[in-house]
Amino acid sequence: MPEDELKRRMDDFQDLFVEARLNIEDAQESQETTYFAEDLDAAQEAVDEAVAAFKGIVNDIEDKDQKNSLLRSNGLKVEQLKGELKMIIDGHGHHH
């Protein structure tokens, strides 16, 4: 994938990533409130979007080195997002 296209798509992913993090924080903060379900839905959606964007970029990269480099530099961030969301979902289930 040409570097400029990769950069543009990674910038889009970064925006989605930041958005997802903010939504996760909102959901964490609203756990004991009536807004929690709404915030959790928003977080789930934002995480799904960020993960899908990242997978799309990885899948579109032909060059093995470029792909591995991207996975090394950002793969953990994506897993971390999914993990943070899962912790909220799992943690909230125990309050009932």
Side-chain angles (χ1 to χ4, degrees):
M1 184 185 297
E3 282 299 322
D4 57 340
E5 185 186 342
L6 179 60
K7 183 183 178 337
R8 182 180 55 76
R9 291 182 64 183
M10 282 307 293
D11 286 346
D12 289 345
F13 162 71
Q14 288 297 342
D15 291 345
L16 292 169
F17 178 82
V18 169
E19 185 67 25
R21 288 300 304 266
L22 291 172
N23 279 299
I24 287 171
E25 282 173 26
D26 287 347
Q28 281 172 326
E29 288 166 11
S30 70
Q31 280 192 33
E32 303 304 319
T33 72
T34 52
Y35 303 109
F36 179 69
E38 208 175 292
D39 287 347
L40 186 61
D41 282 348
Q44 181 88 60
E45 212 170 283
V47 168
D48 288 349
E49 215 174 313
V51 170
F54 184 70
K55 280 185 179 164
I57 296 168
V58 171
N59 291 338
D60 289 347
I61 294 177
E62 303 283 320
D63 182 72
K64 213 180 206 123
D65 292 336
Q66 194 179 37
K67 187 179 289 205
N68 287 338
S69 163
L70 185 69
L71 286 167
R72 264 197 312 277
S73 59
N74 288 279
L76 199 61
K77 282 166 65 166
V78 174
E79 290 308 311
Q80 188 183 355
L81 261 191
K82 294 194 288 193
E84 286 175 14
L85 181 67
K86 187 178 179 330
M87 272 170 47
I88 296 173
I89 294 167
D90 291 352
H92 195 72
H94 297 303
H95 292 294
H96 298 293

